Amino acid sequence: MHVTTDFPFELFTELSVDPELGAEAIHRESVQSDLGELVEETFVGGVLADAFPTHPGGVRVDITPVWDQEPRARALEVRITEQDGEGRSFTRRFETGRWMRRAQRKTEQLVDEGTLEEGVRTYVHLLAEGKDNPPELSLPALQAPTITEQSLDEFGVRELGDGEFCPDRPVLVNERMLEEILSHTEEAGAEETGGSTLGKMIKLDQPLPGTSTRIVTVLSASLMDARHNGTVARITFDPAALQEAAQVAQLRAKGETVLTAFHTHGWGTECGQCNQNTGCTLPSATLVSLDDYQVLECLFPSKATLMPIAGRKLGAPGTRPVLEIHAWRGGRMVSIPWRTYGD
Amino acid sequence: MITTSRIRFSDLSQQKRFSTDLTDELTVDHNVDQAIEHFLEQIGVPENDLPWSAYSRGVRLDKRTRLGDLPEQDADWTVLPTVTAGGAGASTGPSTGPSTG
């Protein structure tokens, strides 16, 4: 696919303890290379929203700073336009990105070193500085996710269950898989657990009711494996176990792959009111940690990846864990609604 | 033995793919470790100092193996790291960390 772009800026971040632009920076770095993942997310988002063909001949990428106080940008807007065919376009706005996560790591490092006091508030200024000869944008090859044209019935979806759809990213979760994940979460308690999650992206003839895209992501089965090493607040995924899960997916012969991995953020076994206890120190399933982002960057680098996290959610009804499914939205993972299905 | 002349790489979910003949930037004289590095660079994935592995036909490839010594059947690789997830540090995640000023 031929990609043309023109971005007459160089992007930097400045880390400061002062919210005002122009204050002394405690750290400054070029973040031009972070633009690639914004373009990828916009392209994949457009394909999943059914706004693009999966293999356009060529696209034009326009990246525009949304100024807060020039040269400080409050966001970047990425617009991708199909150069041939119908000339369709898709736009996504990014108020955050990999630069923010790096700034958070840097803040932690400065606190550890003693350069910054613990608890001090820091600010990240995203600066788009106009350049006559800006550094060339290095964009990774834009690849559409693997999507199979099929009906839900052919895949084995017999009936839709509870929940609701995100209109431009409908997700279906197998009821039995959901129950297994919630049971494992309860059994593991404060220690984290997790496993491979098989699934498939399917293109239907028509969008499901309440949705605007024909592409549905089905999470169909989870595979636990004792080689994934869970402790309190951490789980390390074992590559050999993940690879074996990929072989199981092949044996099932339904066209699934290991689309992602689920993990838990711990579950209380003592107070019995995990979803109501405001003083609980276990992290919520609604939060995606910096470690979780590293899994997304390295193990499941596609911007189509969903991250299922089970655990507590303040205010959720009932006394059982909840499953939160996070999807890429504007440079970060955001929890989206989903529905169950029976097979 | 017929050796491989082309390698097809993918990530675990098979969403990120790359293939190359062993005649250009990657040759039969490179090893598995160097090939992994090349794949990550091509798809824009940071190495992040993680231990990376390549699997072919369900078996982990020895990182020191010369690509020219791989049999033809070992042309399809899955590349993945050993990586840790979890709630540690979740409180300093994007929702509560440094804000754009």
PDB file of all heavy atoms in Angstrom, chain A residues 40 100 104 108 121 124 143 145-146 192 233 235-237 239-240 258 289 292 294, chain B residues 13 15-17 48 52 55 82-88 92 94 98-101:
ATOM      1  N   GLU A  40      -1.294   3.886  12.693  1.00  0.00           N
ATOM      2  CA  GLU A  40      -1.768   2.486  12.673  1.00  0.00           C
ATOM      3  C   GLU A  40      -3.137   2.363  13.334  1.00  0.00           C
ATOM      4  O   GLU A  40      -4.025   1.686  12.819  1.00  0.00           O
ATOM      5  CB  GLU A  40      -0.790   1.604  13.463  1.00  0.00           C
ATOM      6  CG  GLU A  40       0.382   1.103  12.696  1.00  0.00           C
ATOM      7  CD  GLU A  40       1.140   0.074  13.503  1.00  0.00           C
ATOM      8  OE1 GLU A  40       1.797   0.458  14.479  1.00  0.00           O
ATOM      9  OE2 GLU A  40       1.061  -1.122  13.165  1.00  0.00           O
ATOM     10  N   MET A 100       3.050   9.729  26.476  1.00  0.00           N
ATOM     11  CA  MET A 100       2.550   9.929  27.837  1.00  0.00           C
ATOM     12  C   MET A 100       2.989   8.784  28.751  1.00  0.00           C
ATOM     13  O   MET A 100       3.388   8.993  29.898  1.00  0.00           O
ATOM     14  CB  MET A 100       1.022  10.026  27.807  1.00  0.00           C
ATOM     15  CG  MET A 100       0.409  10.351  29.148  1.00  0.00           C
ATOM     16  SD  MET A 100       0.851  12.001  29.692  1.00  0.00           S
ATOM     17  CE  MET A 100      -0.508  12.943  29.045  1.00  0.00           C
ATOM     18  N   GLN A 104       5.399   8.934  32.032  1.00  0.00           N
ATOM     19  CA  GLN A 104       5.070   8.362  33.344  1.00  0.00           C
ATOM     20  C   GLN A 104       6.209   7.504  33.880  1.00  0.00           C
ATOM     21  O   GLN A 104       6.534   7.544  35.060  1.00  0.00           O
ATOM     22  CB  GLN A 104       3.772   7.554  33.243  1.00  0.00           C
ATOM     23  CG  GLN A 104       2.577   8.486  33.146  1.00  0.00           C
ATOM     24  CD  GLN A 104       1.362   7.822  32.564  1.00  0.00           C
ATOM     25  OE1 GLN A 104       1.400   6.673  32.145  1.00  0.00           O
ATOM     26  NE2 GLN A 104       0.276   8.557  32.512  1.00  0.00           N
ATOM     27  N   GLU A 108       8.484   8.211  37.251  1.00  0.00           N
ATOM     28  CA  GLU A 108       8.803   7.201  38.271  1.00  0.00           C
ATOM     29  C   GLU A 108      10.306   7.123  38.494  1.00  0.00           C
ATOM     30  O   GLU A 108      10.787   7.036  39.623  1.00  0.00           O
ATOM     31  CB  GLU A 108       8.280   5.828  37.825  1.00  0.00           C
ATOM     32  CG  GLU A 108       6.770   5.700  37.906  1.00  0.00           C
ATOM     33  CD  GLU A 108       6.261   4.378  37.314  1.00  0.00           C
ATOM     34  OE1 GLU A 108       7.103   3.530  36.911  1.00  0.00           O
ATOM     35  OE2 GLU A 108       5.039   4.210  37.257  1.00  0.00           O
ATOM     36  N   ARG A 121       3.194  16.756  41.474  1.00  0.00           N
ATOM     37  CA  ARG A 121       2.445  16.652  40.228  1.00  0.00           C
ATOM     38  C   ARG A 121       3.328  17.110  39.074  1.00  0.00           C
ATOM     39  O   ARG A 121       3.994  18.143  39.160  1.00  0.00           O
ATOM     40  CB  ARG A 121       1.187  17.520  40.301  1.00  0.00           C
ATOM     41  CG  ARG A 121       0.289  17.379  39.081  1.00  0.00           C
ATOM     42  CD  ARG A 121      -1.094  17.960  39.346  1.00  0.00           C
ATOM     43  NE  ARG A 121      -1.932  17.872  38.166  1.00  0.00           N
ATOM     44  CZ  ARG A 121      -2.566  16.792  37.764  1.00  0.00           C
ATOM     45  NH1 ARG A 121      -2.441  15.675  38.455  1.00  0.00           N
ATOM     46  NH2 ARG A 121      -3.315  16.805  36.681  1.00  0.00           N
ATOM     47  N   VAL A 124       2.954  17.061  31.283  1.00  0.00           N
ATOM     48  CA  VAL A 124       3.592  16.724  30.015  1.00  0.00           C
ATOM     49  C   VAL A 124       3.079  17.696  28.970  1.00  0.00           C
ATOM     50  O   VAL A 124       1.878  17.773  28.715  1.00  0.00           O
ATOM     51  CB  VAL A 124       3.258  15.288  29.581  1.00  0.00           C
ATOM     52  CG1 VAL A 124       3.935  14.973  28.252  1.00  0.00           C
ATOM     53  CG2 VAL A 124       3.696  14.302  30.639  1.00  0.00           C
ATOM     54  N   GLN A 143      -1.190  -2.557   8.068  1.00  0.00           N
ATOM     55  CA  GLN A 143      -1.771  -3.870   7.801  1.00  0.00           C
ATOM     56  C   GLN A 143      -3.162  -3.953   8.414  1.00  0.00           C
ATOM     57  O   GLN A 143      -3.337  -3.656   9.599  1.00  0.00           O
ATOM     58  CB  GLN A 143      -0.912  -4.976   8.421  1.00  0.00           C
ATOM     59  CG  GLN A 143       0.451  -5.115   7.775  1.00  0.00           C
ATOM     60  CD  GLN A 143       1.236  -6.277   8.339  1.00  0.00           C
ATOM     61  OE1 GLN A 143       1.050  -6.667   9.487  1.00  0.00           O
ATOM     62  NE2 GLN A 143       2.120  -6.827   7.544  1.00  0.00           N
ATOM     63  N   PRO A 145      -6.308  -5.940   9.965  1.00  0.00           N
ATOM     64  CA  PRO A 145      -6.443  -7.199  10.693  1.00  0.00           C
ATOM     65  C   PRO A 145      -6.991  -8.300   9.777  1.00  0.00           C
ATOM     66  O   PRO A 145      -7.601  -8.005   8.739  1.00  0.00           O
ATOM     67  CB  PRO A 145      -7.427  -6.877  11.813  1.00  0.00           C
ATOM     68  CG  PRO A 145      -7.860  -5.486  11.637  1.00  0.00           C
ATOM     69  CD  PRO A 145      -7.174  -4.889  10.471  1.00  0.00           C
ATOM     70  N   THR A 146      -6.756  -9.545  10.169  1.00  0.00           N
ATOM     71  CA  THR A 146      -7.304 -10.666   9.405  1.00  0.00           C
ATOM     72  C   THR A 146      -8.791 -10.791   9.725  1.00  0.00           C
ATOM     73  O   THR A 146      -9.172 -11.000  10.878  1.00  0.00           O
ATOM     74  CB  THR A 146      -6.588 -11.980   9.783  1.00  0.00           C
ATOM     75  OG1 THR A 146      -5.194 -11.776   9.598  1.00  0.00           O
ATOM     76  CG2 THR A 146      -7.075 -13.140   8.940  1.00  0.00           C
ATOM     77  N   GLU A 192      -2.696 -12.706  40.775  1.00  0.00           N
ATOM     78  CA  GLU A 192      -3.234 -12.557  39.420  1.00  0.00           C
ATOM     79  C   GLU A 192      -3.124 -13.872  38.660  1.00  0.00           C
ATOM     80  O   GLU A 192      -2.249 -14.705  38.927  1.00  0.00           O
ATOM     81  CB  GLU A 192      -2.492 -11.437  38.690  1.00  0.00           C
ATOM     82  CG  GLU A 192      -2.704 -10.099  39.400  1.00  0.00           C
ATOM     83  CD  GLU A 192      -2.397  -8.905  38.540  1.00  0.00           C
ATOM     84  OE1 GLU A 192      -1.994  -9.078  37.373  1.00  0.00           O
ATOM     85  OE2 GLU A 192      -2.577  -7.790  39.048  1.00  0.00           O
ATOM     86  N   ALA A 233      -0.375  -8.677  41.990  1.00  0.00           N
ATOM     87  CA  ALA A 233      -0.170  -7.507  41.111  1.00  0.00           C
ATOM     88  C   ALA A 233       0.634  -7.780  39.850  1.00  0.00           C
ATOM     89  O   ALA A 233       0.959  -6.833  39.116  1.00  0.00           O
ATOM     90  CB  ALA A 233       0.457  -6.339  41.876  1.00  0.00           C
ATOM     91  N   ILE A 235       1.481 -10.828  36.479  1.00  0.00           N
ATOM     92  CA  ILE A 235       1.440 -12.153  35.859  1.00  0.00           C
ATOM     93  C   ILE A 235       2.372 -12.131  34.646  1.00  0.00           C
ATOM     94  O   ILE A 235       2.329 -11.216  33.827  1.00  0.00           O
ATOM     95  CB  ILE A 235       0.019 -12.585  35.449  1.00  0.00           C
ATOM     96  CG1 ILE A 235       0.095 -13.930  34.708  1.00  0.00           C
ATOM     97  CG2 ILE A 235      -0.707 -11.527  34.619  1.00  0.00           C
ATOM     98  CD1 ILE A 235      -1.211 -14.638  34.535  1.00  0.00           C
ATOM     99  N   THR A 236       3.222 -13.154  34.570  1.00  0.00           N
ATOM    100  CA  THR A 236       4.142 -13.269  33.442  1.00  0.00           C
ATOM    101  C   THR A 236       3.635 -14.379  32.526  1.00  0.00           C
ATOM    102  O   THR A 236       3.433 -15.519  32.954  1.00  0.00           O
ATOM    103  CB  THR A 236       5.568 -13.585  33.931  1.00  0.00           C
ATOM    104  OG1 THR A 236       5.979 -12.539  34.810  1.00  0.00           O
ATOM    105  CG2 THR A 236       6.542 -13.677  32.760  1.00  0.00           C
ATOM    106  N   PHE A 237       3.407 -14.012  31.271  1.00  0.00           N
ATOM    107  CA  PHE A 237       2.896 -14.980  30.301  1.00  0.00           C
ATOM    108  C   PHE A 237       4.046 -15.817  29.751  1.00  0.00           C
ATOM    109  O   PHE A 237       5.086 -15.282  29.354  1.00  0.00           O
ATOM    110  CB  PHE A 237       2.175 -14.262  29.156  1.00  0.00           C
ATOM    111  CG  PHE A 237       0.886 -13.621  29.580  1.00  0.00           C
ATOM    112  CD1 PHE A 237       0.779 -12.242  29.682  1.00  0.00           C
ATOM    113  CD2 PHE A 237      -0.213 -14.405  29.904  1.00  0.00           C
ATOM    114  CE1 PHE A 237      -0.409 -11.654  30.086  1.00  0.00           C
ATOM    115  CE2 PHE A 237      -1.405 -13.826  30.311  1.00  0.00           C
ATOM    116  CZ  PHE A 237      -1.502 -12.446  30.402  1.00  0.00           C
ATOM    117  N   PRO A 239       5.790 -17.961  26.989  1.00  0.00           N
ATOM    118  CA  PRO A 239       5.687 -18.057  25.525  1.00  0.00           C
ATOM    119  C   PRO A 239       5.344 -19.467  25.034  1.00  0.00           C
ATOM    120  O   PRO A 239       4.582 -19.620  24.073  1.00  0.00           O
ATOM    121  CB  PRO A 239       7.072 -17.630  25.025  1.00  0.00           C
ATOM    122  CG  PRO A 239       7.771 -17.035  26.169  1.00  0.00           C
ATOM    123  CD  PRO A 239       7.116 -17.484  27.423  1.00  0.00           C
ATOM    124  N   ALA A 240       5.901 -20.494  25.692  1.00  0.00           N
ATOM    125  CA  ALA A 240       5.623 -21.865  25.237  1.00  0.00           C
ATOM    126  C   ALA A 240       4.138 -22.202  25.414  1.00  0.00           C
ATOM    127  O   ALA A 240       3.516 -22.842  24.552  1.00  0.00           O
ATOM    128  CB  ALA A 240       6.497 -22.853  26.007  1.00  0.00           C
ATOM    129  N   VAL A 258      -4.884 -16.978  18.651  1.00  0.00           N
ATOM    130  CA  VAL A 258      -4.778 -16.410  20.003  1.00  0.00           C
ATOM    131  C   VAL A 258      -4.849 -14.894  19.814  1.00  0.00           C
ATOM    132  O   VAL A 258      -3.855 -14.242  19.594  1.00  0.00           O
ATOM    133  CB  VAL A 258      -3.459 -16.831  20.696  1.00  0.00           C
ATOM    134  CG1 VAL A 258      -3.393 -16.237  22.101  1.00  0.00           C
ATOM    135  CG2 VAL A 258      -3.336 -18.339  20.749  1.00  0.00           C
ATOM    136  N   SER A 289      -2.591  -0.885  33.298  1.00  0.00           N
ATOM    137  CA  SER A 289      -1.327  -0.423  33.890  1.00  0.00           C
ATOM    138  C   SER A 289      -0.255  -0.252  32.814  1.00  0.00           C
ATOM    139  O   SER A 289      -0.416  -0.689  31.671  1.00  0.00           O
ATOM    140  CB  SER A 289      -0.858  -1.441  34.923  1.00  0.00           C
ATOM    141  OG  SER A 289      -0.416  -2.610  34.259  1.00  0.00           O
ATOM    142  N   ASP A 292       0.613  -3.536  31.556  1.00  0.00           N
ATOM    143  CA  ASP A 292      -0.381  -4.018  30.584  1.00  0.00           C
ATOM    144  C   ASP A 292      -0.113  -3.413  29.199  1.00  0.00           C
ATOM    145  O   ASP A 292      -0.238  -4.086  28.178  1.00  0.00           O
ATOM    146  CB  ASP A 292      -1.806  -3.650  31.031  1.00  0.00           C
ATOM    147  CG  ASP A 292      -2.208  -4.345  32.331  1.00  0.00           C
ATOM    148  OD1 ASP A 292      -1.579  -5.370  32.669  1.00  0.00           O
ATOM    149  OD2 ASP A 292      -3.139  -3.857  32.991  1.00  0.00           O
ATOM    150  N   GLN A 294       2.722  -2.599  28.082  1.00  0.00           N
ATOM    151  CA  GLN A 294       3.889  -3.256  27.478  1.00  0.00           C
ATOM    152  C   GLN A 294       3.472  -4.566  26.786  1.00  0.00           C
ATOM    153  O   GLN A 294       3.997  -4.909  25.729  1.00  0.00           O
ATOM    154  CB  GLN A 294       4.967  -3.535  28.526  1.00  0.00           C
ATOM    155  CG  GLN A 294       6.155  -4.253  27.930  1.00  0.00           C
ATOM    156  CD  GLN A 294       7.434  -4.067  28.706  1.00  0.00           C
ATOM    157  OE1 GLN A 294       8.283  -3.274  28.342  1.00  0.00           O
ATOM    158  NE2 GLN A 294       7.552  -4.824  29.776  1.00  0.00           N
TER     159      GLN A 294
ATOM    160  N   SER B  13      -0.917 -13.268  17.464  1.00  0.00           N
ATOM    161  CA  SER B  13      -2.311 -13.160  17.014  1.00  0.00           C
ATOM    162  C   SER B  13      -2.437 -13.219  15.489  1.00  0.00           C
ATOM    163  O   SER B  13      -3.536 -13.198  14.955  1.00  0.00           O
ATOM    164  CB  SER B  13      -2.925 -11.853  17.521  1.00  0.00           C
ATOM    165  OG  SER B  13      -2.302 -10.748  16.897  1.00  0.00           O
ATOM    166  N   GLN B  15      -1.769 -10.958  13.411  1.00  0.00           N
ATOM    167  CA  GLN B  15      -2.275  -9.705  12.849  1.00  0.00           C
ATOM    168  C   GLN B  15      -1.153  -8.875  12.243  1.00  0.00           C
ATOM    169  O   GLN B  15      -1.387  -8.028  11.387  1.00  0.00           O
ATOM    170  CB  GLN B  15      -2.994  -8.892  13.930  1.00  0.00           C
ATOM    171  CG  GLN B  15      -4.158  -9.617  14.595  1.00  0.00           C
ATOM    172  CD  GLN B  15      -5.245  -9.993  13.616  1.00  0.00           C
ATOM    173  OE1 GLN B  15      -5.500  -9.275  12.655  1.00  0.00           O
ATOM    174  NE2 GLN B  15      -5.876 -11.133  13.829  1.00  0.00           N
ATOM    175  N   LYS B  16       0.057  -9.072  12.736  1.00  0.00           N
ATOM    176  CA  LYS B  16       1.224  -8.354  12.207  1.00  0.00           C
ATOM    177  C   LYS B  16       2.093  -9.352  11.470  1.00  0.00           C
ATOM    178  O   LYS B  16       2.601 -10.316  12.075  1.00  0.00           O
ATOM    179  CB  LYS B  16       2.025  -7.756  13.368  1.00  0.00           C
ATOM    180  CG  LYS B  16       1.353  -6.597  14.037  1.00  0.00           C
ATOM    181  CD  LYS B  16       1.745  -5.328  13.329  1.00  0.00           C
ATOM    182  CE  LYS B  16       1.467  -4.118  14.188  1.00  0.00           C
ATOM    183  NZ  LYS B  16       1.998  -2.899  13.573  1.00  0.00           N
ATOM    184  N   ARG B  17       2.250  -9.139  10.170  1.00  0.00           N
ATOM    185  CA  ARG B  17       2.952 -10.134   9.358  1.00  0.00           C
ATOM    186  C   ARG B  17       4.035  -9.461   8.521  1.00  0.00           C
ATOM    187  O   ARG B  17       3.914  -8.301   8.131  1.00  0.00           O
ATOM    188  CB  ARG B  17       1.944 -10.835   8.446  1.00  0.00           C
ATOM    189  CG  ARG B  17       0.792 -11.470   9.207  1.00  0.00           C
ATOM    190  CD  ARG B  17      -0.374 -11.854   8.303  1.00  0.00           C
ATOM    191  NE  ARG B  17      -0.980 -10.736   7.619  1.00  0.00           N
ATOM    192  CZ  ARG B  17      -1.889  -9.920   8.133  1.00  0.00           C
ATOM    193  NH1 ARG B  17      -2.310 -10.096   9.365  1.00  0.00           N
ATOM    194  NH2 ARG B  17      -2.403  -8.913   7.429  1.00  0.00           N
ATOM    195  N   ASN B  48      12.200  -3.473  23.890  1.00  0.00           N
ATOM    196  CA  ASN B  48      11.977  -3.199  25.315  1.00  0.00           C
ATOM    197  C   ASN B  48      12.812  -4.067  26.254  1.00  0.00           C
ATOM    198  O   ASN B  48      12.370  -4.370  27.370  1.00  0.00           O
ATOM    199  CB  ASN B  48      10.483  -3.344  25.670  1.00  0.00           C
ATOM    200  CG  ASN B  48       9.689  -2.133  25.261  1.00  0.00           C
ATOM    201  OD1 ASN B  48      10.208  -1.251  24.584  1.00  0.00           O
ATOM    202  ND2 ASN B  48       8.428  -2.075  25.635  1.00  0.00           N
ATOM    203  N   TRP B  52      13.038 -12.432  23.771  1.00  0.00           N
ATOM    204  CA  TRP B  52      12.159 -12.772  22.651  1.00  0.00           C
ATOM    205  C   TRP B  52      12.446 -14.189  22.167  1.00  0.00           C
ATOM    206  O   TRP B  52      13.585 -14.659  22.237  1.00  0.00           O
ATOM    207  CB  TRP B  52      12.383 -11.788  21.501  1.00  0.00           C
ATOM    208  CG  TRP B  52      11.839 -10.428  21.788  1.00  0.00           C
ATOM    209  CD1 TRP B  52      12.449  -9.428  22.501  1.00  0.00           C
ATOM    210  CD2 TRP B  52      10.548  -9.914  21.409  1.00  0.00           C
ATOM    211  NE1 TRP B  52      11.628  -8.335  22.583  1.00  0.00           N
ATOM    212  CE2 TRP B  52      10.468  -8.596  21.914  1.00  0.00           C
ATOM    213  CE3 TRP B  52       9.476 -10.441  20.690  1.00  0.00           C
ATOM    214  CZ2 TRP B  52       9.342  -7.801  21.729  1.00  0.00           C
ATOM    215  CZ3 TRP B  52       8.359  -9.644  20.495  1.00  0.00           C
ATOM    216  CH2 TRP B  52       8.300  -8.343  21.019  1.00  0.00           C
ATOM    217  N   TYR B  55       9.134 -19.307  17.302  1.00  0.00           N
ATOM    218  CA  TYR B  55       8.666 -20.688  17.240  1.00  0.00           C
ATOM    219  C   TYR B  55       8.331 -21.047  15.793  1.00  0.00           C
ATOM    220  O   TYR B  55       7.795 -20.225  15.045  1.00  0.00           O
ATOM    221  CB  TYR B  55       7.410 -20.880  18.098  1.00  0.00           C
ATOM    222  CG  TYR B  55       7.683 -20.897  19.576  1.00  0.00           C
ATOM    223  CD1 TYR B  55       7.883 -19.716  20.280  1.00  0.00           C
ATOM    224  CD2 TYR B  55       7.745 -22.105  20.268  1.00  0.00           C
ATOM    225  CE1 TYR B  55       8.137 -19.734  21.638  1.00  0.00           C
ATOM    226  CE2 TYR B  55       7.999 -22.129  21.635  1.00  0.00           C
ATOM    227  CZ  TYR B  55       8.197 -20.949  22.313  1.00  0.00           C
ATOM    228  OH  TYR B  55       8.453 -20.956  23.656  1.00  0.00           O
ATOM    229  N   THR B  82       8.684 -12.876  26.373  1.00  0.00           N
ATOM    230  CA  THR B  82       8.207 -13.191  27.716  1.00  0.00           C
ATOM    231  C   THR B  82       7.919 -11.839  28.362  1.00  0.00           C
ATOM    232  O   THR B  82       8.815 -11.000  28.475  1.00  0.00           O
ATOM    233  CB  THR B  82       9.296 -13.932  28.522  1.00  0.00           C
ATOM    234  OG1 THR B  82       9.671 -15.101  27.802  1.00  0.00           O
ATOM    235  CG2 THR B  82       8.792 -14.309  29.908  1.00  0.00           C
ATOM    236  N   VAL B  83       6.670 -11.638  28.747  1.00  0.00           N
ATOM    237  CA  VAL B  83       6.289 -10.295  29.190  1.00  0.00           C
ATOM    238  C   VAL B  83       5.317 -10.378  30.362  1.00  0.00           C
ATOM    239  O   VAL B  83       4.572 -11.349  30.488  1.00  0.00           O
ATOM    240  CB  VAL B  83       5.699  -9.492  27.995  1.00  0.00           C
ATOM    241  CG1 VAL B  83       4.422 -10.098  27.482  1.00  0.00           C
ATOM    242  CG2 VAL B  83       5.519  -8.031  28.325  1.00  0.00           C
ATOM    243  N   THR B  84       5.364  -9.359  31.185  1.00  0.00           N
ATOM    244  CA  THR B  84       4.565  -9.334  32.410  1.00  0.00           C
ATOM    245  C   THR B  84       3.449  -8.298  32.305  1.00  0.00           C
ATOM    246  O   THR B  84       3.690  -7.161  31.883  1.00  0.00           O
ATOM    247  CB  THR B  84       5.477  -8.998  33.607  1.00  0.00           C
ATOM    248  OG1 THR B  84       6.428 -10.059  33.743  1.00  0.00           O
ATOM    249  CG2 THR B  84       4.697  -8.856  34.895  1.00  0.00           C
ATOM    250  N   ALA B  85       2.251  -8.714  32.694  1.00  0.00           N
ATOM    251  CA  ALA B  85       1.108  -7.802  32.781  1.00  0.00           C
ATOM    252  C   ALA B  85       0.734  -7.669  34.251  1.00  0.00           C
ATOM    253  O   ALA B  85       1.371  -8.268  35.119  1.00  0.00           O
ATOM    254  CB  ALA B  85      -0.070  -8.358  31.985  1.00  0.00           C
ATOM    255  N   GLY B  86      -0.292  -6.912  34.514  1.00  0.00           N
ATOM    256  CA  GLY B  86      -0.788  -6.889  35.877  1.00  0.00           C
ATOM    257  C   GLY B  86      -1.069  -5.507  36.397  1.00  0.00           C
ATOM    258  O   GLY B  86      -0.716  -4.502  35.789  1.00  0.00           O
ATOM    259  N   GLY B  87      -1.700  -5.492  37.559  1.00  0.00           N
ATOM    260  CA  GLY B  87      -2.175  -4.233  38.119  1.00  0.00           C
ATOM    261  C   GLY B  87      -1.110  -3.400  38.792  1.00  0.00           C
ATOM    262  O   GLY B  87      -1.388  -2.276  39.209  1.00  0.00           O
ATOM    263  N   ALA B  88       0.129  -3.937  38.915  1.00  0.00           N
ATOM    264  CA  ALA B  88       1.175  -3.141  39.566  1.00  0.00           C
ATOM    265  C   ALA B  88       1.340  -1.831  38.807  1.00  0.00           C
ATOM    266  O   ALA B  88       1.486  -1.832  37.594  1.00  0.00           O
ATOM    267  CB  ALA B  88       2.488  -3.901  39.567  1.00  0.00           C
ATOM    268  N   THR B  92      -0.644   4.602  38.604  1.00  0.00           N
ATOM    269  CA  THR B  92       0.072   5.672  37.907  1.00  0.00           C
ATOM    270  C   THR B  92      -0.189   5.588  36.407  1.00  0.00           C
ATOM    271  O   THR B  92       0.560   6.119  35.613  1.00  0.00           O
ATOM    272  CB  THR B  92       1.588   5.590  38.159  1.00  0.00           C
ATOM    273  OG1 THR B  92       2.037   4.304  37.711  1.00  0.00           O
ATOM    274  CG2 THR B  92       1.931   5.779  39.605  1.00  0.00           C
ATOM    275  N   PRO B  94      -2.385   6.011  32.710  1.00  0.00           N
ATOM    276  CA  PRO B  94      -2.740   7.243  32.008  1.00  0.00           C
ATOM    277  C   PRO B  94      -3.874   8.037  32.634  1.00  0.00           C
ATOM    278  O   PRO B  94      -3.927   9.246  32.462  1.00  0.00           O
ATOM    279  CB  PRO B  94      -3.142   6.745  30.615  1.00  0.00           C
ATOM    280  CG  PRO B  94      -2.416   5.468  30.470  1.00  0.00           C
ATOM    281  CD  PRO B  94      -2.355   4.865  31.839  1.00  0.00           C
ATOM    282  N   PRO B  98       0.772  12.063  34.858  1.00  0.00           N
ATOM    283  CA  PRO B  98       0.988  13.450  34.473  1.00  0.00           C
ATOM    284  C   PRO B  98      -0.048  13.876  33.441  1.00  0.00           C
ATOM    285  O   PRO B  98      -0.373  13.101  32.547  1.00  0.00           O
ATOM    286  CB  PRO B  98       2.390  13.436  33.846  1.00  0.00           C
ATOM    287  CG  PRO B  98       3.021  12.171  34.306  1.00  0.00           C
ATOM    288  CD  PRO B  98       1.913  11.209  34.542  1.00  0.00           C
ATOM    289  N   SER B  99      -0.529  15.061  33.559  1.00  0.00           N
ATOM    290  CA  SER B  99      -1.564  15.479  32.616  1.00  0.00           C
ATOM    291  C   SER B  99      -0.990  16.445  31.595  1.00  0.00           C
ATOM    292  O   SER B  99      -0.016  17.122  31.849  1.00  0.00           O
ATOM    293  CB  SER B  99      -2.704  16.153  33.369  1.00  0.00           C
ATOM    294  OG  SER B  99      -2.199  17.283  34.025  1.00  0.00           O
ATOM    295  N   THR B 100      -1.611  16.483  30.447  1.00  0.00           N
ATOM    296  CA  THR B 100      -1.203  17.460  29.456  1.00  0.00           C
ATOM    297  C   THR B 100      -1.616  18.826  29.967  1.00  0.00           C
ATOM    298  O   THR B 100      -2.783  19.056  30.268  1.00  0.00           O
ATOM    299  CB  THR B 100      -1.889  17.160  28.110  1.00  0.00           C
ATOM    300  OG1 THR B 100      -1.584  15.818  27.753  1.00  0.00           O
ATOM    301  CG2 THR B 100      -1.394  18.087  27.042  1.00  0.00           C
ATOM    302  N   GLY B 101      -0.654  19.692  30.075  1.00  0.00           N
ATOM    303  CA  GLY B 101      -0.889  20.944  30.780  1.00  0.00           C
ATOM    304  C   GLY B 101      -1.731  21.902  30.133  1.00  0.00           C
ATOM    305  O   GLY B 101      -2.359  22.277  29.410  1.00  0.00           O
TER     306      GLY B 101
END
